[in-house]
Amino acid sequence: MSEQHKVAPVAVITGAGSGIGLGCAVKLAQAGCRIVGVGRSADKLAAMAQALGDPERVLELAVDITADDGPRRIVQAAAERWGRIDFLISNAGVGRPKAVHDTDDAMLDSFLDLMLPGAVPSGARGIAAYAPGVGRDQCHLDLRGTRRHQWWRLCGGKAGLSGLTRHIACQYGAAGVRANDVAPGVIPTEMTQGRLQNEMAVRLNEEMTPHIRMGTVDDVASTVAFLCSPGGSFINGQTIVVDGGWTTTKYLSEFARTADWVARDPAAGG
């Protein structure tokens, strides 16, 4: 962490009760951070605190970040406990993708409220609430899925996050505030376990990733920890894709290249 910090830095992590959020909490705690773990489930947050093992360095905060007073409550709790916020890891999200024709207005509003103002603290209720707790040499990180999604809510939400993160980097960079995206591939977690039981989803990941294994929570958490370290202190406004090359290559495994292929029938659609 930055040498100018005379005390342990404070990291706010949304969606900290499980999966990648929990992995980030563990990794940043190991790096010396004090952790404000935010989530909807008090039980999961209690398990997170137990995993970190030091009650003096962790604050559990059961808050709905989509609520109007959500960001303010988070900042207020961190300020009352430690008087500062050094790193904001916006990890909260949902894993229920649907096609356009299966989505109604209420579902879209709920999803975008979580993915945009909820995940990236934007607008009057977000940035204004977080800004007083953030000083110089601070870092905002948004964790989002890879860009190669078929579902429109994810595409729209993730594209919005990308633009907002770059806006934060531009608008507040001169004040010492950095903002970056960390874009994982499909990581085995509680949220993705259903998807990874689908044979086609497994094929799409295993046969199109130029790596010998799938990604892990630790891969993502380690990237976040690096961006919060002195080594990452000049990285700003970037998307760091952690997916083994899945997004940027046109890789096909030997099996995929040699398996029997059936030509698509244009009349059948798809």
Side-chain angles (χ1 to χ4, degrees), residues 98-191:
K98 289 183 179 293
V100 174
H101 62 274
D102 290 326
T103 305
D104 58 29
D105 289 346
M107 293 169 62
L108 176 61
D109 290 345
S110 176
F111 181 84
L112 292 181
D113 196 36
L114 176 61
M115 297 307 296
L116 294 177
V120 176
S122 61
R125 79 177 184 88
I127 283 292
Y130 280 98
V134 178
R136 295 190 61 81
D137 193 26
Q138 310 305 298
C139 183
H140 162 79
L141 297 169
D142 155 53
L143 271 76
R144 62 190 182 92
T146 50
R147 290 164 286 182
R148 203 162 77 185
H149 283 292
Q150 301 177 42
W151 302 283
W152 77 295
R153 292 185 302 153
L154 281 171
C155 292
K158 304 306 184 181
L161 290 177
S162 180
L164 281 171
T165 297
R166 280 148 188 74
H167 170 74
I168 293 170
C170 178
Q171 184 72 36
Y172 301 101
V177 177
R178 296 182 294 117
N180 294 288
D181 291 336
V182 176
V186 178
I187 304 296
T189 65
E190 178 182 331
M191 182 180 292

Side-chain angles (χ1 to χ4, degrees), residues 9 20 34 48 86 100 129 140 171 174 182 211 219 231 239 264:
I20 291 174
R34 295 172 288 181
M48 173 210 68
D86 297 281
V100 174
H140 162 79
Q171 184 72 36
V182 176
H211 203 288
D219 290 326
T239 296
R264 179 173 19 177

Side-chain angles (χ1 to χ4, degrees), residues 46-262:
M48 173 210 68
Q50 185 174 8
L52 297 186
D54 186 352
E56 297 301 316
R57 298 175 68 86
V58 60
L59 172 63
E60 308 157 46
L61 197 59
V63 169
D64 181 354
I65 61 172
T66 66
D68 288 343
D69 65 344
R72 179 188 57 77
R73 289 178 59 193
I74 295 169
V75 171
Q76 183 176 355
E80 290 176 353
R81 180 71 177 268
W82 290 307
R84 61 190 298 148
I85 295 174
D86 297 281
F87 307 116
L88 170 62
I89 291 80
S90 297
N91 166 74
V94 293
R96 299 184 298 275
K98 289 183 179 293
V100 174
H101 62 274
D102 290 326
T103 305
D104 58 29
D105 289 346
M107 293 169 62
L108 176 61
D109 290 345
S110 176
F111 181 84
L112 292 181
D113 196 36
L114 176 61
M115 297 307 296
L116 294 177
V120 176
S122 61
R125 79 177 184 88
I127 283 292
Y130 280 98
V134 178
R136 295 190 61 81
D137 193 26
Q138 310 305 298
C139 183
H140 162 79
L141 297 169
D142 155 53
L143 271 76
R144 62 190 182 92
T146 50
R147 290 164 286 182
R148 203 162 77 185
H149 283 292
Q150 301 177 42
W151 302 283
W152 77 295
R153 292 185 302 153
L154 281 171
C155 292
K158 304 306 184 181
L161 290 177
S162 180
L164 281 171
T165 297
R166 280 148 188 74
H167 170 74
I168 293 170
C170 178
Q171 184 72 36
Y172 301 101
V177 177
R178 296 182 294 117
N180 294 288
D181 291 336
V182 176
V186 178
I187 304 296
T189 65
E190 178 182 331
M191 182 180 292
T192 62
Q193 63 182 357
R195 193 183 323 171
L196 292 176
Q197 290 174 358
N198 179 282
E199 181 182 352
M200 183 56 67
V202 174
R203 286 188 187 185
L204 285 171
N205 283 278
E206 292 189 355
E207 308 303 335
M208 299 181 70
T209 300
H211 203 288
I212 60 174
R213 63 172 176 82
M214 287 195 68
T216 66
V217 166
D218 191 68
D219 290 326
V220 183
S222 296
T223 302
V224 171
F226 169 72
L227 289 171
C228 293
S229 74
S233 62
F234 200 57
I235 300 174
N236 194 21
Q238 303 300 312
T239 296
I240 312 298
V241 181
V242 186
D243 68 359
W246 182 58
T247 303
T248 55
T249 68
K250 294 185 177 180
Y251 174 81
L252 286 176
S253 69
E254 180 68 17
F255 169 78
R257 287 185 285 111
T258 59
D260 291 340
W261 176 68
V262 178

